[in-house]
Short mmCIF file of all heavy atoms in Angstrom, two decimals:
data_model
loop_
_atom_site.label_atom_id
_atom_site.label_comp_id
_atom_site.label_asym_id
_atom_site.label_seq_id
_atom_site.Cartn_x
_atom_site.Cartn_y
_atom_site.Cartn_z
N MET A 1 0.84 -1.18 0.00
CA MET A 1 0.00 0.00 0.00
C MET A 1 0.89 1.25 0.00
O MET A 1 1.84 1.34 0.75
CB MET A 1 -0.90 -0.02 1.22
CG MET A 1 -1.82 1.16 1.29
SD MET A 1 -2.96 0.91 2.67
CE MET A 1 -3.96 2.30 2.47
N CYS A 2 0.56 2.19 -0.81
CA CYS A 2 1.35 3.41 -0.93
C CYS A 2 0.78 4.48 -0.01
O CYS A 2 -0.38 4.82 -0.08
CB CYS A 2 1.35 3.90 -2.38
SG CYS A 2 2.35 5.36 -2.59
N ARG A 3 1.62 5.03 0.83
CA ARG A 3 1.15 6.05 1.77
C ARG A 3 1.79 7.40 1.51
O ARG A 3 1.58 8.33 2.26
CB ARG A 3 1.43 5.61 3.20
CG ARG A 3 0.67 4.35 3.57
CD ARG A 3 1.13 3.86 4.93
NE ARG A 3 0.59 2.53 5.16
CZ ARG A 3 -0.39 2.27 5.99
NH1 ARG A 3 -0.95 3.22 6.69
NH2 ARG A 3 -0.82 1.05 6.15
N ARG A 4 2.60 7.50 0.48
CA ARG A 4 3.26 8.77 0.19
C ARG A 4 2.33 9.71 -0.55
O ARG A 4 1.44 9.30 -1.27
CB ARG A 4 4.52 8.53 -0.63
CG ARG A 4 5.61 7.88 0.21
CD ARG A 4 6.84 7.78 -0.60
NE ARG A 4 7.10 6.35 -0.70
CZ ARG A 4 7.84 5.79 -1.61
NH1 ARG A 4 8.40 6.50 -2.53
NH2 ARG A 4 8.03 4.50 -1.62
N ARG A 5 2.55 10.98 -0.43
CA ARG A 5 1.72 12.04 -1.03
C ARG A 5 1.46 11.86 -2.53
O ARG A 5 0.32 11.98 -2.95
CB ARG A 5 2.35 13.41 -0.74
CG ARG A 5 1.76 14.55 -1.51
CD ARG A 5 0.65 15.24 -0.75
NE ARG A 5 0.23 16.42 -1.47
CZ ARG A 5 -0.89 16.49 -2.16
NH1 ARG A 5 -1.70 15.48 -2.22
NH2 ARG A 5 -1.22 17.59 -2.79
N PRO A 6 2.48 11.56 -3.36
CA PRO A 6 2.22 11.46 -4.82
C PRO A 6 1.15 10.44 -5.18
O PRO A 6 0.47 10.59 -6.18
CB PRO A 6 3.57 11.07 -5.39
CG PRO A 6 4.56 11.60 -4.41
CD PRO A 6 3.90 11.45 -3.06
N CYS A 7 0.98 9.41 -4.38
CA CYS A 7 -0.03 8.39 -4.68
C CYS A 7 -1.45 8.94 -4.59
O CYS A 7 -2.36 8.41 -5.19
CB CYS A 7 0.11 7.22 -3.73
SG CYS A 7 1.65 6.32 -3.94
N PHE A 8 -1.61 10.00 -3.84
CA PHE A 8 -2.94 10.56 -3.65
C PHE A 8 -3.17 11.83 -4.46
O PHE A 8 -4.23 12.43 -4.38
CB PHE A 8 -3.18 10.84 -2.16
CG PHE A 8 -3.12 9.59 -1.33
CD1 PHE A 8 -2.01 9.33 -0.55
CD2 PHE A 8 -4.14 8.66 -1.37
CE1 PHE A 8 -1.94 8.16 0.20
CE2 PHE A 8 -4.08 7.51 -0.62
CZ PHE A 8 -2.98 7.25 0.17
N THR A 9 -2.17 12.24 -5.22
CA THR A 9 -2.30 13.43 -6.05
C THR A 9 -3.24 13.12 -7.22
O THR A 9 -3.02 12.17 -7.94
CB THR A 9 -0.93 13.88 -6.60
OG1 THR A 9 -0.07 14.09 -5.50
CG2 THR A 9 -1.05 15.15 -7.41
N PRO A 10 -4.27 13.91 -7.40
CA PRO A 10 -5.19 13.66 -8.52
C PRO A 10 -4.48 13.77 -9.88
O PRO A 10 -3.57 14.58 -10.05
CB PRO A 10 -6.24 14.77 -8.38
CG PRO A 10 -6.12 15.24 -6.97
CD PRO A 10 -4.69 15.02 -6.57
N ALA A 11 -4.90 12.95 -10.81
CA ALA A 11 -4.27 12.91 -12.13
C ALA A 11 -4.30 14.26 -12.82
O ALA A 11 -3.39 14.60 -13.57
CB ALA A 11 -4.93 11.85 -13.00
N TYR A 12 -5.32 15.06 -12.59
CA TYR A 12 -5.40 16.35 -13.28
C TYR A 12 -4.25 17.27 -12.87
O TYR A 12 -3.89 18.18 -13.61
CB TYR A 12 -6.74 17.04 -13.07
CG TYR A 12 -7.06 17.45 -11.65
CD1 TYR A 12 -6.56 18.65 -11.13
CD2 TYR A 12 -7.86 16.66 -10.85
CE1 TYR A 12 -6.84 19.02 -9.83
CE2 TYR A 12 -8.14 17.04 -9.55
CZ TYR A 12 -7.63 18.21 -9.04
OH TYR A 12 -7.91 18.59 -7.75
N GLU A 13 -3.65 17.04 -11.72
CA GLU A 13 -2.49 17.84 -11.31
C GLU A 13 -1.24 17.43 -12.09
O GLU A 13 -0.31 18.21 -12.20
CB GLU A 13 -2.25 17.72 -9.82
CG GLU A 13 -3.31 18.41 -8.98
CD GLU A 13 -3.00 18.35 -7.50
OE1 GLU A 13 -1.83 18.15 -7.13
OE2 GLU A 13 -3.94 18.53 -6.71
N TRP A 14 -1.21 16.20 -12.59
CA TRP A 14 -0.05 15.72 -13.34
C TRP A 14 -0.20 16.00 -14.82
O TRP A 14 0.78 16.03 -15.55
CB TRP A 14 0.11 14.22 -13.16
CG TRP A 14 0.31 13.75 -11.77
CD1 TRP A 14 0.84 14.46 -10.72
CD2 TRP A 14 0.00 12.46 -11.25
NE1 TRP A 14 0.87 13.69 -9.60
CE2 TRP A 14 0.36 12.45 -9.89
CE3 TRP A 14 -0.55 11.32 -11.80
CZ2 TRP A 14 0.19 11.34 -9.08
CZ3 TRP A 14 -0.70 10.21 -11.00
CH2 TRP A 14 -0.34 10.23 -9.65
N THR A 15 -1.40 16.16 -15.29
CA THR A 15 -1.66 16.31 -16.72
C THR A 15 -1.27 17.70 -17.19
O THR A 15 -1.74 18.70 -16.67
CB THR A 15 -3.15 16.06 -17.03
OG1 THR A 15 -3.50 14.78 -16.53
CG2 THR A 15 -3.42 16.12 -18.51
N LEU A 16 -0.37 17.76 -18.19
CA LEU A 16 0.07 19.02 -18.74
C LEU A 16 -0.67 19.39 -20.00
O LEU A 16 -0.91 20.56 -20.28
CB LEU A 16 1.57 18.97 -19.04
CG LEU A 16 2.48 18.67 -17.84
CD1 LEU A 16 3.92 18.58 -18.30
CD2 LEU A 16 2.33 19.74 -16.77
N ASP A 17 -1.04 18.38 -20.80
CA ASP A 17 -1.66 18.64 -22.09
C ASP A 17 -2.35 17.38 -22.58
O ASP A 17 -1.87 16.28 -22.36
CB ASP A 17 -0.56 19.06 -23.08
CG ASP A 17 -1.10 19.55 -24.41
OD1 ASP A 17 -2.22 20.07 -24.44
OD2 ASP A 17 -0.38 19.42 -25.41
N ILE A 18 -3.47 17.57 -23.24
CA ILE A 18 -4.17 16.46 -23.89
C ILE A 18 -4.42 16.88 -25.33
O ILE A 18 -4.94 17.98 -25.57
CB ILE A 18 -5.52 16.15 -23.20
CG1 ILE A 18 -5.27 15.69 -21.77
CG2 ILE A 18 -6.29 15.10 -23.99
CD1 ILE A 18 -6.54 15.46 -20.96
N GLN A 19 -4.03 16.03 -26.24
CA GLN A 19 -4.20 16.33 -27.66
C GLN A 19 -4.90 15.17 -28.35
O GLN A 19 -4.63 14.01 -28.05
CB GLN A 19 -2.85 16.56 -28.34
CG GLN A 19 -2.09 17.74 -27.82
CD GLN A 19 -0.75 17.90 -28.52
OE1 GLN A 19 -0.46 17.24 -29.50
NE2 GLN A 19 0.08 18.77 -27.99
N ASP A 20 -5.76 15.49 -29.30
CA ASP A 20 -6.41 14.47 -30.11
C ASP A 20 -5.48 14.13 -31.27
O ASP A 20 -5.26 14.95 -32.16
CB ASP A 20 -7.75 14.97 -30.63
CG ASP A 20 -8.50 13.92 -31.44
OD1 ASP A 20 -7.99 12.78 -31.57
OD2 ASP A 20 -9.58 14.24 -31.95
N LEU A 21 -4.92 12.95 -31.25
CA LEU A 21 -3.98 12.53 -32.29
C LEU A 21 -4.65 11.71 -33.39
O LEU A 21 -3.97 11.18 -34.26
CB LEU A 21 -2.84 11.72 -31.66
CG LEU A 21 -1.99 12.49 -30.65
CD1 LEU A 21 -0.94 11.58 -30.03
CD2 LEU A 21 -1.35 13.70 -31.28
N THR A 22 -5.96 11.63 -33.35
CA THR A 22 -6.68 10.81 -34.33
C THR A 22 -6.34 11.17 -35.78
O THR A 22 -6.03 10.26 -36.56
CB THR A 22 -8.20 10.91 -34.09
OG1 THR A 22 -8.48 10.53 -32.74
CG2 THR A 22 -8.96 10.02 -35.05
N PRO A 23 -6.36 12.44 -36.17
CA PRO A 23 -6.03 12.74 -37.57
C PRO A 23 -4.62 12.31 -37.96
O PRO A 23 -4.41 11.76 -39.05
CB PRO A 23 -6.17 14.26 -37.65
CG PRO A 23 -7.08 14.63 -36.53
CD PRO A 23 -6.79 13.65 -35.44
N LEU A 24 -3.66 12.50 -37.07
CA LEU A 24 -2.28 12.10 -37.35
C LEU A 24 -2.18 10.58 -37.46
O LEU A 24 -1.54 10.05 -38.38
CB LEU A 24 -1.34 12.60 -36.25
CG LEU A 24 0.11 12.15 -36.36
CD1 LEU A 24 0.74 12.66 -37.66
CD2 LEU A 24 0.90 12.62 -35.16
N VAL A 25 -2.80 9.87 -36.56
CA VAL A 25 -2.75 8.41 -36.57
C VAL A 25 -3.41 7.86 -37.83
O VAL A 25 -2.91 6.92 -38.45
CB VAL A 25 -3.41 7.82 -35.30
CG1 VAL A 25 -3.55 6.31 -35.39
CG2 VAL A 25 -2.61 8.22 -34.07
N ARG A 26 -4.50 8.47 -38.24
CA ARG A 26 -5.15 8.02 -39.48
C ARG A 26 -4.25 8.25 -40.69
O ARG A 26 -4.18 7.42 -41.59
CB ARG A 26 -6.48 8.76 -39.66
CG ARG A 26 -7.54 8.24 -38.73
CD ARG A 26 -8.87 8.88 -38.96
NE ARG A 26 -9.87 8.25 -38.09
CZ ARG A 26 -10.90 8.87 -37.60
NH1 ARG A 26 -11.14 10.14 -37.89
NH2 ARG A 26 -11.76 8.24 -36.81
N LYS A 27 -3.55 9.38 -40.70
CA LYS A 27 -2.63 9.67 -41.80
C LYS A 27 -1.49 8.66 -41.83
O LYS A 27 -1.12 8.14 -42.88
CB LYS A 27 -2.08 11.09 -41.66
CG LYS A 27 -1.21 11.53 -42.80
CD LYS A 27 -0.83 13.00 -42.67
CE LYS A 27 -0.08 13.46 -43.91
NZ LYS A 27 0.21 14.90 -43.85
N ILE A 28 -0.94 8.36 -40.67
CA ILE A 28 0.14 7.38 -40.57
C ILE A 28 -0.35 6.01 -41.03
O ILE A 28 0.32 5.31 -41.79
CB ILE A 28 0.69 7.32 -39.13
CG1 ILE A 28 1.44 8.62 -38.81
CG2 ILE A 28 1.59 6.12 -38.92
CD1 ILE A 28 1.82 8.79 -37.35
N HIS A 29 -1.53 5.64 -40.60
CA HIS A 29 -2.11 4.35 -41.00
C HIS A 29 -2.28 4.28 -42.52
O HIS A 29 -1.96 3.26 -43.16
CB HIS A 29 -3.45 4.17 -40.29
CG HIS A 29 -4.13 2.88 -40.62
ND1 HIS A 29 -5.25 2.81 -41.40
CD2 HIS A 29 -3.84 1.61 -40.26
CE1 HIS A 29 -5.61 1.54 -41.53
NE2 HIS A 29 -4.79 0.80 -40.83
N LYS A 30 -2.78 5.35 -43.08
CA LYS A 30 -2.99 5.40 -44.54
C LYS A 30 -1.65 5.25 -45.28
O LYS A 30 -1.57 4.51 -46.27
CB LYS A 30 -3.65 6.72 -44.91
CG LYS A 30 -4.00 6.85 -46.37
CD LYS A 30 -4.72 8.17 -46.63
CE LYS A 30 -5.03 8.34 -48.10
NZ LYS A 30 -5.71 9.62 -48.37
N LEU A 31 -0.62 5.92 -44.80
CA LEU A 31 0.70 5.82 -45.44
C LEU A 31 1.26 4.40 -45.34
O LEU A 31 1.81 3.87 -46.31
CB LEU A 31 1.68 6.81 -44.81
CG LEU A 31 1.45 8.28 -45.16
CD1 LEU A 31 2.27 9.18 -44.25
CD2 LEU A 31 1.80 8.53 -46.63
N ILE A 32 1.11 3.79 -44.20
CA ILE A 32 1.61 2.43 -44.02
C ILE A 32 0.88 1.46 -44.95
O ILE A 32 1.50 0.62 -45.61
CB ILE A 32 1.50 1.99 -42.55
CG1 ILE A 32 2.52 2.77 -41.71
CG2 ILE A 32 1.73 0.48 -42.39
CD1 ILE A 32 2.39 2.58 -40.22
N ARG A 33 -0.44 1.59 -45.02
CA ARG A 33 -1.21 0.71 -45.91
C ARG A 33 -0.85 0.93 -47.38
O ARG A 33 -0.96 0.02 -48.19
CB ARG A 33 -2.71 0.92 -45.69
CG ARG A 33 -3.14 0.37 -44.33
CD ARG A 33 -4.62 0.38 -44.16
NE ARG A 33 -5.29 -0.30 -45.26
CZ ARG A 33 -5.93 -1.46 -45.18
NH1 ARG A 33 -5.97 -2.07 -44.02
NH2 ARG A 33 -6.53 -1.97 -46.21
N ALA A 34 -0.38 2.14 -47.70
CA ALA A 34 0.02 2.45 -49.07
C ALA A 34 1.49 2.05 -49.33
O ALA A 34 2.01 2.32 -50.41
CB ALA A 34 -0.17 3.94 -49.35
N GLY A 35 2.13 1.45 -48.34
CA GLY A 35 3.51 1.01 -48.52
C GLY A 35 4.53 2.13 -48.34
O GLY A 35 5.66 2.00 -48.80
N GLU A 36 4.14 3.19 -47.70
CA GLU A 36 5.03 4.34 -47.52
C GLU A 36 5.42 4.49 -46.04
O GLU A 36 5.22 5.53 -45.42
CB GLU A 36 4.37 5.61 -48.04
CG GLU A 36 4.04 5.52 -49.53
CD GLU A 36 3.52 6.82 -50.07
OE1 GLU A 36 4.25 7.82 -49.99
OE2 GLU A 36 2.38 6.82 -50.56
N ALA A 37 6.01 3.42 -45.51
CA ALA A 37 6.38 3.38 -44.10
C ALA A 37 7.40 4.46 -43.74
O ALA A 37 7.34 5.01 -42.64
CB ALA A 37 6.91 2.00 -43.73
N ALA A 38 8.32 4.77 -44.63
CA ALA A 38 9.33 5.80 -44.34
C ALA A 38 8.67 7.16 -44.12
O ALA A 38 9.04 7.90 -43.20
CB ALA A 38 10.35 5.88 -45.46
N LYS A 39 7.68 7.49 -44.94
CA LYS A 39 6.96 8.75 -44.77
C LYS A 39 6.17 8.73 -43.46
O LYS A 39 6.09 9.75 -42.76
CB LYS A 39 6.02 9.01 -45.94
CG LYS A 39 6.73 9.42 -47.21
CD LYS A 39 5.72 9.73 -48.30
CE LYS A 39 6.42 10.11 -49.60
NZ LYS A 39 5.44 10.39 -50.66
N ALA A 40 5.59 7.59 -43.15
CA ALA A 40 4.82 7.46 -41.91
C ALA A 40 5.75 7.64 -40.71
O ALA A 40 5.40 8.33 -39.75
CB ALA A 40 4.14 6.09 -41.85
N LYS A 41 6.93 7.04 -40.77
CA LYS A 41 7.89 7.14 -39.68
C LYS A 41 8.30 8.60 -39.44
O LYS A 41 8.51 9.01 -38.30
CB LYS A 41 9.11 6.29 -39.97
CG LYS A 41 10.08 6.20 -38.82
CD LYS A 41 11.23 5.27 -39.13
CE LYS A 41 12.21 5.23 -37.98
NZ LYS A 41 13.34 4.38 -38.26
N ASP A 42 8.41 9.37 -40.49
CA ASP A 42 8.78 10.79 -40.36
C ASP A 42 7.75 11.59 -39.58
O ASP A 42 8.05 12.65 -39.05
CB ASP A 42 8.99 11.42 -41.74
CG ASP A 42 10.26 10.95 -42.43
OD1 ASP A 42 11.15 10.42 -41.73
OD2 ASP A 42 10.35 11.09 -43.65
N LEU A 43 6.52 11.10 -39.52
CA LEU A 43 5.45 11.80 -38.81
C LEU A 43 5.42 11.47 -37.32
O LEU A 43 4.76 12.16 -36.54
CB LEU A 43 4.09 11.47 -39.43
CG LEU A 43 3.90 11.94 -40.87
CD1 LEU A 43 2.56 11.45 -41.40
CD2 LEU A 43 3.99 13.45 -40.97
N LEU A 44 6.14 10.44 -36.92
CA LEU A 44 6.17 10.05 -35.51
C LEU A 44 7.08 10.99 -34.72
O LEU A 44 8.05 11.52 -35.27
CB LEU A 44 6.68 8.61 -35.38
CG LEU A 44 5.80 7.54 -35.98
CD1 LEU A 44 6.51 6.20 -35.95
CD2 LEU A 44 4.47 7.46 -35.25
N PRO A 45 6.79 11.18 -33.44
CA PRO A 45 7.67 12.02 -32.63
C PRO A 45 9.04 11.35 -32.47
O PRO A 45 9.15 10.13 -32.48
CB PRO A 45 6.95 12.11 -31.28
CG PRO A 45 5.98 11.00 -31.27
CD PRO A 45 5.67 10.65 -32.68
N ARG A 46 10.06 12.16 -32.36
CA ARG A 46 11.42 11.63 -32.17
C ARG A 46 11.55 11.07 -30.77
O ARG A 46 11.11 11.68 -29.80
CB ARG A 46 12.47 12.73 -32.37
CG ARG A 46 12.42 13.37 -33.73
CD ARG A 46 12.88 12.39 -34.81
NE ARG A 46 12.67 12.97 -36.13
CZ ARG A 46 11.95 12.40 -37.08
NH1 ARG A 46 11.37 11.26 -36.88
NH2 ARG A 46 11.83 12.97 -38.26
N GLU A 47 12.14 9.88 -30.69
CA GLU A 47 12.35 9.26 -29.40
C GLU A 47 13.59 9.88 -28.75
O GLU A 47 14.63 10.03 -29.40
CB GLU A 47 12.54 7.76 -29.55
CG GLU A 47 12.67 7.04 -28.25
CD GLU A 47 12.72 5.53 -28.41
OE1 GLU A 47 12.57 5.04 -29.53
OE2 GLU A 47 12.89 4.86 -27.39
N ARG A 48 13.45 10.27 -27.50
CA ARG A 48 14.58 10.86 -26.79
C ARG A 48 15.07 9.88 -25.74
O ARG A 48 14.27 9.20 -25.09
CB ARG A 48 14.17 12.16 -26.10
CG ARG A 48 13.70 13.22 -27.07
CD ARG A 48 13.34 14.49 -26.36
NE ARG A 48 12.35 14.22 -25.31
CZ ARG A 48 11.73 15.14 -24.61
NH1 ARG A 48 11.99 16.39 -24.81
NH2 ARG A 48 10.84 14.83 -23.69
N VAL A 49 16.37 9.81 -25.59
CA VAL A 49 16.96 8.95 -24.57
C VAL A 49 16.86 9.68 -23.24
O VAL A 49 17.26 10.84 -23.12
CB VAL A 49 18.43 8.64 -24.90
CG1 VAL A 49 19.07 7.83 -23.80
CG2 VAL A 49 18.53 7.91 -26.24
N TYR A 50 16.32 9.01 -22.26
CA TYR A 50 16.19 9.60 -20.93
C TYR A 50 17.48 9.35 -20.16
O TYR A 50 17.91 8.21 -20.02
CB TYR A 50 15.01 8.97 -20.19
CG TYR A 50 14.75 9.60 -18.85
CD1 TYR A 50 14.04 10.79 -18.75
CD2 TYR A 50 15.23 9.03 -17.68
CE1 TYR A 50 13.80 11.40 -17.53
CE2 TYR A 50 15.00 9.62 -16.44
CZ TYR A 50 14.29 10.80 -16.39
OH TYR A 50 14.06 11.39 -15.18
N PRO A 51 18.13 10.42 -19.67
CA PRO A 51 19.37 10.22 -18.92
C PRO A 51 19.09 9.47 -17.62
O PRO A 51 18.19 9.84 -16.87
CB PRO A 51 19.87 11.64 -18.66
CG PRO A 51 18.68 12.51 -18.80
CD PRO A 51 17.73 11.82 -19.73
N LEU A 52 19.87 8.44 -17.38
CA LEU A 52 19.64 7.60 -16.22
C LEU A 52 20.98 7.25 -15.60
O LEU A 52 21.88 6.77 -16.28
CB LEU A 52 18.90 6.34 -16.66
CG LEU A 52 18.21 5.47 -15.65
CD1 LEU A 52 17.17 6.26 -14.86
CD2 LEU A 52 17.55 4.29 -16.32
N ALA A 53 21.11 7.48 -14.31
CA ALA A 53 22.34 7.12 -13.61
C ALA A 53 22.56 5.62 -13.70
O ALA A 53 21.60 4.83 -13.67
CB ALA A 53 22.26 7.56 -12.15
N LEU A 54 23.80 5.20 -13.83
CA LEU A 54 24.13 3.79 -14.02
C LEU A 54 23.56 2.92 -12.91
O LEU A 54 22.99 1.86 -13.17
CB LEU A 54 25.65 3.61 -14.12
CG LEU A 54 26.16 2.23 -14.45
CD1 LEU A 54 25.55 1.73 -15.77
CD2 LEU A 54 27.67 2.24 -14.55
N GLU A 55 23.69 3.34 -11.66
CA GLU A 55 23.18 2.56 -10.53
C GLU A 55 21.67 2.38 -10.62
O GLU A 55 21.14 1.29 -10.41
CB GLU A 55 23.56 3.23 -9.21
CG GLU A 55 23.01 2.53 -7.99
CD GLU A 55 23.47 1.08 -7.87
OE1 GLU A 55 24.59 0.74 -8.28
OE2 GLU A 55 22.67 0.26 -7.35
N LEU A 56 20.96 3.43 -10.97
CA LEU A 56 19.50 3.33 -11.11
C LEU A 56 19.14 2.42 -12.29
O LEU A 56 18.21 1.62 -12.20
CB LEU A 56 18.88 4.71 -11.29
CG LEU A 56 17.36 4.76 -11.42
CD1 LEU A 56 16.68 4.08 -10.23
CD2 LEU A 56 16.89 6.19 -11.58
N ALA A 57 19.87 2.55 -13.39
CA ALA A 57 19.62 1.70 -14.54
C ALA A 57 19.76 0.23 -14.18
O ALA A 57 18.94 -0.60 -14.56
CB ALA A 57 20.57 2.07 -15.68
N ARG A 58 20.79 -0.09 -13.43
CA ARG A 58 20.98 -1.48 -13.00
C ARG A 58 19.83 -1.93 -12.10
O ARG A 58 19.34 -3.05 -12.22
CB ARG A 58 22.30 -1.61 -12.23
CG ARG A 58 23.51 -1.55 -13.09
CD ARG A 58 24.75 -1.83 -12.27
NE ARG A 58 25.93 -1.66 -13.10
CZ ARG A 58 27.02 -1.00 -12.73
NH1 ARG A 58 27.11 -0.48 -11.52
NH2 ARG A 58 28.04 -0.88 -13.53
N ARG A 59 19.41 -1.04 -11.19
CA ARG A 59 18.36 -1.40 -10.24
C ARG A 59 17.03 -1.69 -10.94
O ARG A 59 16.31 -2.59 -10.54
CB ARG A 59 18.17 -0.26 -9.25
CG ARG A 59 17.26 -0.64 -8.09
CD ARG A 59 17.11 0.45 -7.06
NE ARG A 59 18.39 0.94 -6.63
CZ ARG A 59 18.61 2.13 -6.11
NH1 ARG A 59 17.61 2.97 -5.97
NH2 ARG A 59 19.81 2.52 -5.74
N VAL A 60 16.72 -0.94 -11.99
CA VAL A 60 15.44 -1.14 -12.67
C VAL A 60 15.56 -2.07 -13.88
O VAL A 60 14.59 -2.30 -14.57
CB VAL A 60 14.79 0.21 -13.09
CG1 VAL A 60 14.48 1.03 -11.86
CG2 VAL A 60 15.66 0.98 -14.06
N GLY A 61 16.77 -2.56 -14.15
CA GLY A 61 16.96 -3.55 -15.21
C GLY A 61 17.01 -2.97 -16.61
O GLY A 61 16.59 -3.61 -17.57
N VAL A 62 17.55 -1.76 -16.74
CA VAL A 62 17.66 -1.11 -18.05
C VAL A 62 19.07 -1.35 -18.62
O VAL A 62 20.06 -1.22 -17.91
CB VAL A 62 17.41 0.42 -17.93
CG1 VAL A 62 17.67 1.12 -19.24
CG2 VAL A 62 16.01 0.67 -17.44
N ASP A 63 19.13 -1.73 -19.88
CA ASP A 63 20.42 -1.89 -20.55
C ASP A 63 20.97 -0.51 -20.89
O ASP A 63 20.26 0.32 -21.48
CB ASP A 63 20.28 -2.70 -21.84
CG ASP A 63 19.90 -4.14 -21.56
OD1 ASP A 63 20.29 -4.67 -20.50
OD2 ASP A 63 19.21 -4.74 -22.40
N VAL A 64 22.21 -0.26 -20.52
CA VAL A 64 22.86 1.02 -20.87
C VAL A 64 24.14 0.75 -21.61
O VAL A 64 24.70 -0.27 -21.61
CB VAL A 64 23.15 1.89 -19.63
CG1 VAL A 64 21.87 2.46 -19.08
CG2 VAL A 64 23.89 1.13 -18.56
#
C-alpha cells in the first residue's frame, strides 16, 4: 500500500496537455497501408533517450 503524497495526487495535477492525435494516426495508418512506411515514420515524434544514472539503470533492469 502506498502512503506517500504522490499516490494521492489527482491525475489532473499531473496532466500538462491532452491532444487528439486521431487525424495524425489516421494519416500514418494510410501511409503504411500504401507502402510508404518511411513517410509514416517521419510523422512520428522523435524518441529521446532519458538520462539515467548507471546505478538506477541497474536497479530497474535497463540496458545502458
Side-chain angles (χ1 to χ4, degrees):
M1 181 173 184
C2 182
R3 296 173 191 253
R4 289 185 243 159
R5 169 93 173 105
C7 294
F8 298 105
T9 303
Y12 65 83
E13 290 184 21
W14 300 334
T15 304
L16 301 177
D17 188 28
I18 297 176
Q19 296 179 10
D20 182 2
L21 298 177
T22 304
L24 175 62
V25 172
R26 286 184 176 149
K27 185 173 186 176
I28 291 170
H29 181 252
K30 184 177 178 181
L31 287 168
I32 290 172
R33 290 188 54 110
E36 300 186 59
K39 287 183 181 179
K41 187 176 179 182
D42 288 341
L43 296 175
L44 295 172
R46 301 291 173 236
E47 184 174 356
R48 299 181 305 187
V49 176
Y50 184 81
L52 197 58
L54 186 56
E55 177 59 33
L56 181 55
R58 286 186 185 135
R59 190 177 309 156
V60 297
V62 174
D63 293 329
V64 288

